Amino acid sequence: MVEALHFAEAEPGRMALSLFPAPTPQDVDELAAAWELHPLLVEDLQHAGQRPKLERYGDVLFMVVRSALYDNAAEDVDFSEFHVLVRPHAIVVLCQDKRWIDGTSEASMSGNASDLAVRNGHTLLDDEYLLNLGPEAVAYRLLDAIVDGYAPVLRGLAIDKEQIERQVFSGDAAVAERIYRLSQEVIDLQHTTTSMADVLVGLRQGFDRYEVPEPLQAYLQDVADHLTHASTRVSELRDALSQILSVNSTLVAQRQNEDMKKISGWAAILFAPTLIGAIYGMNFDVMPELHWTLGYPLAVGAMIALAVGLYIVFKTKKWM
């Protein structure tokens, strides 16, 4: 780290890019010593699981950003956290989840930072004009690649939403769990995009104070526009899922109401014969038609007639 920093500062126009695919506590300690980092910043670097944020410690800009990758098989969104440090002539990227933006694992990552930075279309070093503007340009290209990565995630979630809509109206009882799972993924993505928007706002607020070149300001505005579009789609997805859940609850209630009608109808049909049988099963000595020859067939006939009559009534009213 010290050699890279000295190399970048030795002549104008030089810049050092350091990438840590799987940062260890020792890596963080070496970086802290070489860059003379603030203790609070070092503590943040040693603890992952943070939401996107922006902080400045002297001439060091610290960003926490999160990329997203959609897993179609599991219908899940995998988030990767990156810690980015920027200072004059140097930039450091720490992959806290041991994955690159495109999901490349630590084992597949090249030891050369420039090789990884240009793979699978996530280019950080291909714009010579922007690179001449310093390490902030690389940081902005990283933000652009991360924000652009939200688009395929949103497409995957939108396809899941359409499938869920068809599943709801087909009467599938398992759809509620799928709605809740997808809603959780959308909520997590919304938290990420909202926090990323705060990061971009913080960068824009520092344009004048830190004399950010106008081309970089325009580039960051383009990133912000893409992020706004993604945030809007996330909000629409969340609202749509809320409506789908409401519709599903209504349909479930309607099906339960129909089931209760059928249960009530059959209960009434069975109650009428049971009532007659209960009356004539009390074994009193003095009862009408107790010793009448036609009493038994008449009682059975009354049971059948009442049951059939009630069935016809309930069938007419579409309770059965």
Side-chain angles (χ1 to χ4, degrees), residues 59-78:
D59 65 343
V60 177
L61 170 66
F62 173 57
M63 292 188 296
V64 177
V65 293
R66 297 181 74 191
S67 67
L69 190 67
Y70 183 70
D71 185 348
N72 186 55
E75 293 187 354
D76 189 23
V77 180
D78 294 326

Side-chain angles (χ1 to χ4, degrees), residues 251-266:
L251 293 176
V252 169
Q254 288 179 348
R255 287 193 290 266
Q256 290 177 342
N257 187 42
E258 293 298 321
D259 292 340
M260 286 303 300
K261 286 181 179 180
K262 293 180 180 180
I263 293 172
S264 301
W266 283 113

Side-chain angles (χ1 to χ4, degrees), residues 265-273 303-316 319-320:
W266 283 113
I269 291 172
L270 295 174
F271 174 74
M303 292 179 188
I304 295 174
L306 281 172
V308 172
L310 288 173
Y311 179 81
I312 294 173
V313 172
F314 291 140
K315 191 70 174 178
T316 303
W319 278 38
M320 303 298 292

Side-chain angles (χ1 to χ4, degrees), residues 229-246:
H229 179 67
S231 299
T232 301
R233 292 188 61 190
V234 171
S235 299
E236 292 173 350
L237 269 176
R238 185 171 182 179
D239 293 339
L241 287 172
S242 298
Q243 294 175 2
I244 293 172
L245 184 60
S246 177

Side-chain angles (χ1 to χ4, degrees), residues 67-90:
S67 67
L69 190 67
Y70 183 70
D71 185 348
N72 186 55
E75 293 187 354
D76 189 23
V77 180
D78 294 326
F79 295 95
S80 299
E81 181 178 337
F82 300 90
H83 291 183
V84 183
L85 296 172
V86 182
R87 66 180 301 172
H89 310 294

